[in-house]
Amino acid sequence: MPSLMASSAILHFSPSSSLLLSRKICRPSVFTAAQFPRSLTIKASTSLDYSNVSVIDKSAAPSKTNNWKWKFEDNSINIYYEEYEKESSDPPKDILMIPTISDVSTVEEWRLVARDIVQRVGKVNWRATIIDWPGLGYSDRPKIDYNADVLEKFLVDFMSAPDCPISQTKNDLVVFGGGHAATITIRAAKKGLVKPAAIAAVAPTWAGPLPIVFGRDSDMETRYGLLRGTLRAPAVGWMMYNMLVSNEKAIQSQYKSHVYADPNNVTPSIVESRYALTKRKGARYVPAAFLTGLLDPVNSREEFLELFAALEGQIPVLVVSTKGSPKRSKAEMEALRGAKGVSKFVELPGALLPQEEYPAVVAEELYRFLQENFECKA
């Protein structure tokens, strides 16, 4: 999919192998009222400062946060997560919400959807946990060799760990994922590494910003490797990262061009929040991998479709396509319409982050999916 920070890119190499990267910016409801309880509890253990978050975001922002330790190679990585649940005497059923992988991926994109769903009164007491990927959001960002296998291993480790917040219901877990996160979850489920009760893939993608535009032949893979190495380098890497990603004008431009469907929905507070994420220590390592295709869970549309097909008859799978997605990403989503393994396909307003731009509409559709597959059976 086009990066949240680089909708397309052109790589130029001189005979001396110097590299320049220039970007071209390209553009690629009805909410049924529900009954809400009077109280909402958000579990966590350490405080976060939300003073720079918009008024709308504050309504969904927890006052506290929590961390889970992921042991990977020689690293102990703090994984940030948030829990949302309402007060109830009924045992909860868990939803794991996973952010879209991008340069500025964050739990923030799912907060309003999480708050909406858990407040609803129905036959099931839903609890939502939102996690940040390692190397992104508010999680630690160590300098490791990030790729799709590493992120898949993280997801499997988290979902199977006895000390994770969803450990009590891991065999009865519903997963909501955006973009690449959805596809990585589907891939892990196909391998039998995770066994969710249902999956909702929101604006699912599989190709990083450069591969989806320029392909994956050996010459381009060499160029991607050079760019990736440059972005990870101590000095020049930060310079290039600051030029391409870590500046507010670039973030605002990309959000208005293709991340959101309606440019008017891109507020200064959103830009400020995402900009702050780009300044965290180690911020450039995952984007270097994402931009150049290392986080892509498959290499072709055929493989993409095969992942979903492998789940046919095993679990319910909802695909949420969006009306305003960039052309190439939209084509991959549309390929899933009527595809084997896709239980339900819907199209909603939005582009690459519909769960953040149109949370009420997305929450309504996701809750309907939950009702159809769980509440009717409760």
Side-chain angles (χ1 to χ4, degrees):
M1 83 172 183
S3 166
L4 298 190
M5 306 315 308
S7 59
S8 66
I10 301 176
L11 298 175
H12 302 281
F13 292 84
S14 70
S16 62
S17 295
S18 63
L19 177 147
L20 293 175
L21 189 148
S22 63
R23 295 170 298 141
K24 296 196 302 179
I25 306 302
C26 62
R27 201 170 175 77
S29 87
V30 177
F31 175 46
T32 304
Q35 292 178 295
F36 295 111
R38 295 181 179 177
S39 59
L40 171 70
T41 301
I42 301 169
K43 288 187 174 180
S45 65
T46 37
S47 7
L48 253 189
D49 178 9
Y50 286 96
S51 59
N52 292 321
V53 180
S54 69
V55 173
I56 293 178
D57 287 339
K58 282 179 181 177
S59 69
S63 58
K64 297 180 180 179
T65 67
N66 218 339
N67 289 285
W68 176 75
K69 291 282 188 182
W70 183 43
K71 302 297 177 60
F72 178 72
E73 296 178 343
D74 295 326
N75 300 281
S76 180
I77 304 169
N78 285 311
I79 300 299
Y80 175 87
Y81 70 88
E82 298 175 353
E83 289 184 281
Y84 294 75
E85 66 179 335
K86 63 176 174 284
E87 293 183 2
S88 174
S89 58
D90 297 327
K93 185 173 178 64
D94 281 306
I95 306 168
L96 178 62
M97 299 182 178
I98 315 174
T100 301
I101 294 174
S102 73
D103 304 331
V104 290
S105 173
T106 169
V107 296
E108 294 171 21
E109 71 188 56
W110 280 110
R111 282 177 179 158
L112 288 171
V113 172
R115 184 175 185 271
D116 181 313
I117 290 176
V118 302
Q119 287 185 88
R120 295 175 181 241
V121 175
K123 295 181 180 180
V124 176
N125 174 28
W126 294 102
R127 176 174 61 188
T129 300
I130 318 173
I131 58 170
D132 266 330
W133 291 98
L136 291 170
Y138 299 104
S139 292
D140 288 350
R141 304 178 178 210
K143 188 179 181 180
I144 59 180
D145 293 325
Y146 294 97
N147 57 39
D149 292 338
V150 170
L151 296 191
E152 181 185 82
K153 177 172 173 51
F154 158 70
L155 190 60
V156 172
D157 288 351
F158 181 82
M159 291 176 66
S160 59
D163 61 341
C164 84
I166 57 172
S167 62
Q168 300 303 314
T169 59
K170 62 186 178 184
N171 294 322
D172 198 27
L173 177 69
V174 177
V175 179
F176 295 165
H180 273 42
T183 312
I184 290 174
T185 303
I186 295 281
R187 191 177 84 159
K190 176 181 181 290
K191 295 177 181 179
L193 300 175
V194 296
K195 297 181 179 180
I199 298 174
V202 178
T205 56
W206 62 266
L210 293 180
I212 201 171
V213 176
F214 299 107
R216 287 184 170 277
D217 61 37
S218 58
D219 180 58
M220 290 310 303
E221 289 289 3
T222 298
R223 299 186 185 197
Y224 300 157
L226 179 57
L227 172 60
R228 188 162 52 246
T230 302
L231 282 169
R232 288 174 62 91
V236 69
W238 268 117
M239 292 175 61
M240 179 173 286
Y241 179 73
N242 288 334
M243 177 182 70
L244 297 177
V245 177
S246 187
N247 66 83
E248 291 176 288
K249 287 184 178 180
I251 293 171
Q252 182 183 60
S253 177
Q254 297 298 332
Y255 265 71
K256 287 187 173 183
S257 69
H258 68 281
V259 177
Y260 276 23
D262 184 350
N264 294 321
N265 290 333
V266 181
T267 64
S269 63
I270 290 173
V271 175
E272 291 168 10
S273 168
R274 303 311 189 260
Y275 175 69
L277 291 173
T278 69
K279 293 303 181 183
R280 293 174 69 86
K281 182 180 179 181
R284 70 188 190 277
Y285 300 131
V286 169
F290 174 62
L291 180 68
T292 56
L294 275 187
L295 304 187
D296 295 352
V298 294
N299 293 319
S300 68
R301 179 183 293 179
E302 291 71 27
E303 292 181 12
F304 184 52
L305 294 176
E306 286 171 5
L307 292 184
F308 286 83
L311 301 184
E312 176 76 16
Q314 295 186 29
I315 61 172
V317 175
L318 167 68
V319 171
V320 177
S321 180
T322 51
K323 297 176 182 178
S325 290
K327 183 178 179 180
R328 291 183 176 91
S329 296
K330 177 70 170 178
E332 302 309 313
M333 295 178 205
E334 282 299 312
L336 293 169
R337 187 187 291 269
K340 188 176 181 181
V342 177
S343 311
K344 185 178 182 181
F345 183 99
V346 298
E347 186 178 73
L348 299 179
L352 296 180
L353 281 183
Q355 64 269 33
E356 182 173 68
E357 187 178 7
Y358 298 102
V361 177
V362 172
E364 179 67 15
E365 193 62 53
L366 293 177
Y367 188 66
R368 184 177 296 116
F369 176 64
L370 295 173
Q371 286 180 307
E372 293 168 349
N373 290 281
F374 300 100
E375 300 214 356
C376 290
K377 302 173 184 178

